[in-house]
Amino acid sequence: MNKLAVLGHPIGHTLSPVMHNASIQALGLADQYEYDKLDVAPDALLERLSRFPSEGYAGVNLTIPLKEVAFQGLEKLDESARTLGAVNTVEFTDDGPVGHNTDGYGVLKALEEAFGKTVENDSVFVLGCGGAGRAVALMAALNGAKTVTLADVDAERLANLAAEIAEKAPTVDISQCLEKAEQVEKCRAADLVIQASPVGMKKDDPSLMPPEAFREGQRVFDLIYMYPETTLLGVARKQGAQVANGLGMLLHQGARAFKIWTGIQPDVAAMRTALELAVYGDR
């Protein structure tokens, strides 16, 4: 049996096993693969990764807060991980673990599915510039965004990310927002708003942005996927924006990861159905 898993700390919220095991069943591979979730603390990650191959693991996904730990600690990194500065997928090879990043691919596919376009020629506002936001902002800058505005409460984080984007995508106009009033103004002006902070992972979390930050004609994408609509998406929708949660990103980054581990194209339709059932119920 080839084992697969998602690692995080905490890990209870994840829907990765739901979608991967649905695909494994649909492909008739249940006697060959199984996918689980494991709680692994950041300071234990690298030692744990070194033991996985001997325990029968073919690969693992990483979620909060492990993506940057793996990027810093793994010797071998695929170009996708080097570009985005984070690892969300680890492949175990005969030459050791290799870190990949399928998040960039996943969010581009999800945006195209939800809104009919990705980021080309857009002014993009990224709210929250930690691991996920950093990858999304870099992805937008490298894939044709006209401008990228970074919003966070951490000035050093903003400055570091702005400098990294300027180095990797020098033609893109980058701006930084710390103050709330400026964040609201820049958010409203953007074509595409991407909410990449953890706020919204709890059902009663408030929206980080007030109603006046949104408008008709905007696209608003929240990376959080555990609920059909976060509070922020509800606020944006009421202001006339098109909205989508992060379920599509989870789906497509996971599909790419499975192909990396196994060389087999997953059953994306089965994965999508399982995710939608888990989040939306039997509609």
Side-chain angles (χ1 to χ4, degrees):
M1 178 68 70
N2 295 289
K3 297 179 183 178
L4 303 165
V6 58
L7 318 181
H9 186 68
I11 195 59
H13 67 277
T14 184
L15 293 180
S16 289
V18 169
M19 67 173 179
H20 279 292
N21 286 320
S23 172
I24 288 166
Q25 288 283 346
L27 293 171
L29 298 175
D31 59 337
Q32 298 178 48
Y33 293 96
E34 63 180 2
Y35 191 106
D36 203 354
K37 59 184 179 182
L38 299 170
D39 193 311
V40 177
D43 59 1
L45 176 64
L46 296 177
E47 189 273 335
R48 194 77 180 88
L49 288 176
S50 71
R51 289 195 280 121
F52 275 136
S54 66
E55 297 171 5
Y57 283 85
V60 295
N61 284 131
L62 305 178
T63 187
I64 296 171
L66 305 177
K67 296 180 183 184
E68 288 165 313
V69 177
F71 176 76
Q72 297 294 336
L74 288 176
E75 290 183 13
K76 297 184 179 69
L77 297 171
D78 177 75
E79 184 182 352
S80 60
R82 291 195 300 271
T83 298
L84 295 180
V87 170
N88 81 318
T89 299
V90 180
E91 172 192 18
F92 298 117
T93 73
D94 292 341
D95 297 324
V98 180
H100 299 255
N101 191 306
T102 65
D103 283 335
Y105 168 83
V107 75
L108 285 174
K109 288 283 289 182
L111 289 171
E112 192 168 11
E113 273 190 353
F115 304 125
K117 78 182 296 286
T118 59
V119 297
E120 195 168 354
N121 296 319
D122 278 341
S123 57
V124 180
F125 180 87
V126 180
L127 181 60
C129 296
R134 182 170 169 276
V136 165
L138 278 161
M139 174 277 306
L142 292 166
N143 285 276
K146 183 171 55 180
T147 67
V148 176
T149 300
L150 309 173
D152 203 284
V153 294
D154 186 324
E156 183 179 5
R157 180 186 288 167
L158 283 179
N160 289 342
L161 179 53
E164 187 175 0
I165 294 173
E167 180 183 344
K168 292 182 176 178
T171 62
V172 178
D173 182 22
I174 309 297
S175 59
Q176 306 170 47
C177 291
L178 267 175
E179 300 302 322
K180 191 58 175 274
E182 186 184 10
Q183 290 181 356
V184 171
E185 179 186 340
K186 295 281 192 179
C187 183
R188 184 176 179 83
D191 300 309
L192 173 64
V193 176
I194 301 179
Q195 200 296 115
S197 83
V199 178
M201 290 179 77
K202 296 176 183 172
K203 200 153 192 173
D204 57 352
D205 280 348
S207 172
L208 282 177
M209 286 286 141
E212 58 268 27
F214 305 106
R215 58 175 173 79
E216 285 188 22
Q218 256 182 341
R219 289 138 40 228
V220 181
F221 187 81
D222 196 326
L223 268 59
I224 291 167
Y225 60 79
M226 292 90 82
Y227 316 111
E229 189 175 87
T230 59
T231 306
L232 181 139
L233 288 183
V235 169
R237 179 178 50 77
K238 287 175 184 174
Q239 295 302 109
Q242 289 182 272
V243 303
N245 69 12
L247 211 63
M249 179 181 174
L250 176 70
L251 169 68
H252 290 296
Q253 65 77 28
R256 173 63 66 92
F258 189 80
K259 182 73 182 295
I260 288 169
W261 297 322
T262 67
I264 299 168
Q265 186 64 40
D267 189 324
V268 175
M271 295 169 79
R272 189 192 306 275
T273 298
L275 286 175
E276 290 179 350
L277 183 62
V279 173
Y280 305 130
D282 191 5
R283 295 185 293 181

